[in-house]
Amino acid sequence: MAEPFRIGLLGHGTVGGAFETLLGERADQIAAITGLRPEISGVLTRSRGNFEQILANCDLVVELIGGLEPARDHVLRAMRAGRHVVTANKQLLSHHGEELWGVAREHGVQLRFEASVAGVVPVIRVLQESLAGAHVERIHGIVNGTTNYILSEMARTGCSYDDALAGAQSLGYAEADPTDDVNGKDAAAKMAILARLAFDTPVHIDQVSYEGIEQITADDMEYAEELGLGLKLIGTAERIDGRLAVRVHPAFLYEGHPLASVHGPFNAVTIESSAITEITMSGPGAGGPQTASAVLGDVISAMIPPASTPETTQALEIVDDVESAFYLHMEVEDRPGVLAEVASLLGAEGASIKSVVQKGLGERARLVMVVHPLLESRFFAAVERIGALDFLRSPPRAIRVIEEQFV
Ligand SMILES: NC(=O)c1ccc[n+]([C@@H]2O[C@H](COP(=O)([O-])OP(=O)(O)OC[C@H]3O[C@@H](n4cnc5c(N)ncnc54)[C@H](OP(=O)(O)O)[C@@H]3O)[C@@H](O)[C@H]2O)c1
């Protein structure tokens, strides 16, 4: 039997509730990896639990209350009592990071905060560990999903800022009071944390200038599109002549920029350094289960030093015949019935055609189609039969299509 590892959970809202659920689902596997079985030994909300008792009965504290107080007080007391702390609280770290990191150092405990910036995108760990040896020159980030969703919708539909905001609220991508998201303050807190880590210098949120997206009009978006530009709320932290600039403002990007293709409520961070050129990470920036996953990753890291050798906790079968969508390109003779014959051979294997384009005439006739996902073995069986048709002028070419668009 694995020894229990007791977690004091402060806050049981969107993220705290999702964290408890996820921990319940993953506890066995974590026990198999770490030899310790994590369990929640106490929960604090406004109406439930007692902080002193929770602290006395836990090995680690997870702070998911949010805001400055009482979160700061509880985190400080937990660390002074020798507990590791995991938090998702960007406000707390961007205001009181130096004090908190100082106390963590003094008491030899870990203060982990992966979920405080860009949700589940592992940017904190990458800056603190993987890129610890890189001399970071600049960070660009889309670190607020609400504003990225609003700008994406304005660009996609041509709607006004107000309509896009109302849509974001109805889908749960924006809060009833979206002020701190749309005015750039939320992103500023996250950029202060990223800059602190990337440039090894204290950065307080008051040192981050920020501007929001409230003034952006449908006109701006229309012209931008004509010019091949996309508009994003971008956080930037960069070295300039031995100094540091940290700011958040709307900015246009050309299509080729790695952040230009980040749409909807997603977050992404680009880190630039002469040694690494550029690394971009993107993923969900918020949401209960997503944020809880980042919090749990921090808890596991605090329980045991990160493993340098992978553990085996299960034996999964390796599958080699999977479902894929396909692009199929055929050079065909220009005569009636070609499409019907190809479609019938595909249909016999259960393949259905999503879209089809017929191009060129005579010697140059081409038939190009995209086929809905099906087992690869069945698709290739159909392609083999298609390849034997007498009207094909060369072997058919098939390329897999990744259909996911994540927005
Ligand atoms: N939601 C997200 O998608 C997301 C993403 C990234 C990071 N985060 C961060 O995660 C943290 C938690 O966010 P959340 O969305 O889960 O917040 P939430 O849904 O508002 O939940 C907050 C929890 O804290 C409790 N609480 C509030 N004030 C308290 C006090 N004075 N004493 C004791 N408990 C108190 C609340 O108690 P009651 O239940 O009694 O109200 C509630 O259980 C925040 O730092 C937030 O910035 C959230």
Side-chain angles (χ1 to χ4, degrees):
M1 269 297 275
E3 289 275 306
F5 183 87
R6 300 162 308 160
I7 297 169
L9 178 58
L10 314 183
H12 198 265
T14 306
V15 183
F19 175 75
E20 184 171 27
T21 305
L22 184 64
L23 188 68
E25 290 164 7
R26 305 276 300 157
D28 285 345
Q29 204 167 6
I30 298 167
I33 294 170
T34 64
L36 297 169
R37 191 185 167 78
E39 61 183 39
I40 291 181
S41 53
V43 175
L44 183 74
T45 68
R46 275 179 282 223
S47 57
R48 175 181 166 196
N50 171 292
F51 178 69
E52 297 300 339
Q53 280 174 9
I54 290 171
L55 186 58
N57 289 310
C58 73
D59 301 305
L60 175 148
V61 166
V62 170
E63 184 278 308
L64 296 171
I65 294 174
L68 298 182
E69 294 294 352
R72 171 178 161 273
D73 171 75
H74 291 349
V75 168
L76 285 171
R77 281 162 67 191
M79 293 193 296
R80 287 183 175 129
R83 306 294 188 271
H84 299 311
V85 172
V86 174
T87 179
N89 193 332
K90 68 224 151 207
Q91 290 302 337
L92 183 61
L93 292 164
S94 61
H95 280 87
H96 299 298
E98 298 315 310
E99 178 188 26
L100 295 164
W101 288 308
V103 171
R105 264 194 298 276
E106 199 182 316
H107 291 268
V109 296
Q110 296 184 41
L111 174 59
R112 290 190 165 262
F113 47 97
E114 185 64 72
S116 65
V117 180
V120 72
V121 184
V123 59
I124 301 291
R125 199 165 302 221
V126 166
L127 280 173
Q128 282 188 307
E129 296 174 20
S130 319
L131 296 183
H135 183 75
V136 176
E137 294 292 345
R138 180 160 58 198
I139 297 180
H140 279 314
I142 294 176
V143 289
N144 182 276
T146 305
T147 44
N148 204 51
Y149 176 82
I150 291 171
L151 294 175
S152 300
E153 281 304 283
M154 289 176 73
R156 192 177 68 82
T157 67
C159 70
S160 68
Y161 167 78
D162 288 334
D163 287 347
L165 172 59
Q169 284 170 321
S170 71
L171 287 168
Y173 295 144
E175 305 205 1
D177 177 4
T179 313
D180 284 354
D181 288 317
V182 298
N183 70 11
K185 191 174 178 191
D186 173 90
K190 293 165 180 170
M191 290 310 298
I193 297 171
L194 291 184
R196 171 69 182 94
L197 300 181
F199 301 104
D200 298 327
T201 183
V203 181
H204 190 278
I205 186 171
D206 291 347
Q207 296 169 303
V208 182
S209 59
Y210 62 89
E211 187 188 315
I213 62 164
E214 305 100 311
Q215 309 304 326
I216 303 295
T217 66
D219 264 7
D220 294 327
M221 307 302 277
E222 205 179 307
Y223 292 129
E225 198 184 338
E226 277 178 38
L227 295 166
L229 294 165
L231 189 64
K232 303 285 178 193
L233 183 69
I234 299 286
T236 303
E238 62 185 335
R239 291 181 200 273
I240 299 177
D241 300 332
R243 292 176 301 159
L244 175 64
V246 193
R247 57 198 189 275
V248 172
H249 47 57
F252 285 116
L253 298 173
Y254 279 102
E255 264 175 29
H257 192 280
L259 298 184
S261 58
V262 178
H263 301 301
F266 270 41
N267 280 195
V269 176
T270 293
I271 301 167
E272 296 170 42
S273 153
S274 55
I276 58 166
T277 312
E278 170 266 314
I279 287 178
T280 300
M281 290 167 281
S282 71
Q290 295 84 346
T291 309
S293 159
V295 171
L296 184 55
D298 273 353
V299 169
I300 296 169
S301 296
M303 287 168 72
I304 47 154
S308 59
T309 54
E311 296 290 335
T312 301
T313 61
Q314 52 193 337
L316 294 179
E317 188 192 345
I318 308 293
V319 181
D320 57 8
D321 192 11
V322 295
E323 288 209 338
S324 297
F326 281 92
Y327 157 101
L328 183 60
H329 180 283
M330 290 156 285
E331 294 179 12
V332 294
E333 281 175 21
D334 190 8
R335 62 165 142 107
V338 166
L339 175 58
E341 210 162 328
V342 169
S344 126
L345 287 176
L346 285 168
E349 289 295 340
S352 72
I353 297 169
K354 179 175 179 178
S355 51
V356 60
V357 182
Q358 284 178 284
K359 281 205 158 177
L361 294 169
E363 284 294 290
R364 304 181 61 84
R366 303 268 190 288
L367 184 59
V368 178
M369 54 183 61
V370 174
V371 174
H372 282 295
L374 78 159
L375 268 184
E376 293 192 348
S377 56
R378 299 199 68 185
F379 175 76
F380 286 119
V383 170
E384 202 176 323
R385 262 173 246 133
I386 291 168
L389 293 171
D390 63 354
F391 54 71
L392 245 81
R393 291 187 282 108
S394 62
R397 287 191 296 117
I399 300 173
R400 288 169 185 78
V401 176
I402 295 175
E403 293 194 304
E404 287 87 356
Q405 299 195 51
F406 300 107
V407 282

